[in-house]
Amino acid sequence: MATALISHDDCLDHVTPPGHPEQVARLDAVLEALAGLDLLRVKAPLAAEDDLLRGHPKSYIDAIKTAAPTEGWRSLDADTHMSAGTLQAAYRAVGGVVRAVDMVLSGEAANAFVAVRPPGHHAERETAMGFCFFGNVAIGAKHALDHHGLERVAIVDFDVHHGNGTQDLVEEDARILFCSTHQSPLFPGTGAAHETGVGNVLNVPLPDGTGSKAFRDVMERVVLPRVDEFSPQLLIISAGFDAHRADPLAGMMLETEDFAWVTEKLCDLADRHCQGCVVSSLEGGYDLPALGASAAAHVKVLEEKGR
């Protein structure tokens, strides 16, 4: 089976103010880097209201709809801005992850990479923040549980920033394991090791300057064994590439090869526990050449594992 690449041109219509790091060019860089790969290309659908409600109350969803401008920008906070195309793009981002879950669990695809923006892992139940509006991967996990009848879904987030939004959406649901490696201290200031949810949250804060050896060590000693023990029926990856040494927003020192390595390790676990069912969704990554190279390294492993 093929690896699915799920995206949509609407995600290019989420336009941020000049100089903003979460820019249209990010998705262009990712798609250009993946252009030569033999992938099953699928357009991300719009999320259904029922899917959004798995992560957010109706009052919050309505507030985001009301905030959407018809021209110019509307700022929800100092980092998080809406343009006329943002709402549609945010619906595609959630819809893309849900479609990926459906394709992988039904056998339409071996695994999937969802190349969408805006990202989602900072969006809390009732708060848009950190460039994010809806909890894309958390909603995908809940869809897998509710719609496909799974009992255990693991989310692994290797973005350099803690996925506070994902944690907020899943920390009371023991069916979902959330594991995050992230630089600390750093935005958003959450993700301490003592934040454990109902025993289903594993946070591994790492210091500024953490490089390949330390990252791989903590993955092998702490994160991968926890996922292995949980024995997930689906593995979802929050694939942020801003822990790369070239990224301007953080200070971790990972190389492009580290993202290929961790992807292979996670896919090995998925082969062991869930017939290789992996859904990965783009989160951060703000140096365009590093982002493109890292995303390509990540997806090439998915493609090889899916054959």
Side-chain angles (χ1 to χ4, degrees):
M1 283 187 293
T3 293
L5 172 62
I6 301 178
S7 190
H8 201 284
D9 286 348
D10 282 354
C11 294
L12 300 170
D13 293 334
H14 167 48
V15 181
T16 52
H20 196 282
E22 208 296 280
Q23 56 183 297
V24 172
R26 293 183 65 244
L27 185 53
D28 286 330
V30 169
L31 294 177
E32 183 178 346
L34 301 180
L37 300 184
D38 184 18
L39 306 169
L40 176 61
R41 287 169 165 78
V42 177
K43 291 187 181 297
L46 294 169
E49 200 80 0
D50 285 350
D51 285 317
L52 293 175
L53 288 168
R54 287 191 171 95
H56 306 280
K58 187 176 186 302
S59 58
Y60 171 77
I61 298 167
D62 289 345
I64 292 294
K65 290 178 183 177
T66 301
T70 55
E71 58 183 19
W73 290 284
R74 178 159 294 158
S75 299
L76 304 188
D77 63 22
D79 299 315
T80 311
H81 312 278
M82 299 187 76
S83 69
T86 297
L87 186 63
Q88 190 94 337
Y91 270 64
R92 296 284 184 195
V94 175
V97 176
V98 170
R99 178 73 174 112
V101 168
D102 288 342
M103 291 186 71
V104 169
L105 291 179
S106 69
E108 290 181 71
N111 50 44
F113 180 64
V114 188
V116 289
R117 51 183 294 277
H121 76 150
H122 292 310
E124 297 181 342
R125 280 181 51 80
E126 299 186 64
T127 306
M129 61 181 290
F131 318 156
C132 303
F133 300 90
F134 299 123
N136 306 336
V137 299
I139 290 171
K142 290 175 180 286
H143 175 79
L145 294 163
D146 296 344
H147 185 73
H148 291 275
L150 300 193
E151 296 178 349
R152 296 177 310 282
V153 176
I155 300 171
V156 176
D157 185 336
F158 54 68
D159 190 283
V160 80
H161 302 95
H162 178 241
N164 61 296
T166 304
Q167 180 172 306
D168 186 48
L169 269 61
V170 309
E171 63 186 351
E172 296 181 357
D173 191 338
R175 301 173 300 170
I176 302 173
L177 172 67
F178 175 60
C179 300
S180 175
T181 57
H182 48 272
Q183 182 178 325
S184 180
L186 192 67
F187 177 90
T190 54
H194 64 76
E195 298 171 22
T196 58
V198 292
N200 64 324
V201 172
L202 173 65
N203 283 313
V204 186
L206 299 169
D208 185 11
T210 296
S212 300
K213 185 178 184 302
F215 172 77
R216 294 187 186 203
D217 179 65
V218 80
M219 274 286 176
E220 290 198 305
R221 285 190 304 103
V222 182
V223 177
L224 298 174
R226 182 66 176 275
V227 176
D228 194 19
E229 179 185 23
F230 186 69
S231 186
Q233 296 163 295
L234 171 67
L235 177 59
I236 300 180
I237 301 172
S238 266
F241 301 105
D242 40 7
H244 195 286
R245 65 164 54 245
D247 201 272
L249 297 193
M252 285 181 66
M253 302 294 286
L254 299 194
E255 307 288 350
T256 301
E257 294 75 16
D258 293 315
F259 297 108
W261 176 87
V262 71
T263 305
E264 185 166 3
K265 293 293 185 181
L266 291 170
C267 285
D268 287 345
L269 285 178
D271 287 342
R272 184 179 308 161
H273 294 292
C274 51
Q275 295 78 51
C277 291
V278 174
V279 169
S280 176
S281 186
L282 179 65
E283 300 285 2
Y286 304 99
D287 178 86
L288 298 182
L291 172 61
S294 300
H298 175 67
V299 176
K300 283 176 183 175
V301 174
L302 294 178
E303 182 188 25
E304 290 165 4
K305 288 288 189 177
R307 288 175 185 160

